[in-house]
Amino acid sequence: MMPELGKYAVSVLSAYGATAVLLIVLVAATLLRGRRVRAEMQRTEAKGHKDA
């Protein structure tokens, strides 16, 4: 199923690997930031309800 890449195999496969790693890092960073922002919003909302 893998095409014959010849002398470019290392370059092509390392580019695919780097792309996969970067995508995983971006998704993880987005999820972590979402959790942090959600927690901050909940704290802010809870503080607002106490003041009212």
Side-chain angles (χ1 to χ4, degrees), residues 40-51:
E40 185 178 337
M41 286 173 55
Q42 288 175 346
R43 282 193 304 269
T44 303
E45 287 179 358
K47 190 184 293 186
H49 287 295
K50 289 179 185 176
D51 293 339

Side-chain angles (χ1 to χ4, degrees), residues 21-42:
V21 168
L22 288 173
L23 283 172
I24 290 168
V25 168
L26 284 172
V27 168
T30 301
L31 292 173
L32 290 172
R33 184 168 186 231
R35 286 182 186 173
R36 192 171 54 240
V37 168
R38 187 176 301 115
E40 185 178 337
M41 286 173 55
Q42 288 175 346

Side-chain angles (χ1 to χ4, degrees), residues 5-29:
L5 300 173
K7 65 181 182 177
Y8 302 107
V10 173
S11 298
V12 171
L13 293 177
S14 64
Y16 278 131
T19 300
V21 168
L22 288 173
L23 283 172
I24 290 168
V25 168
L26 284 172
V27 168

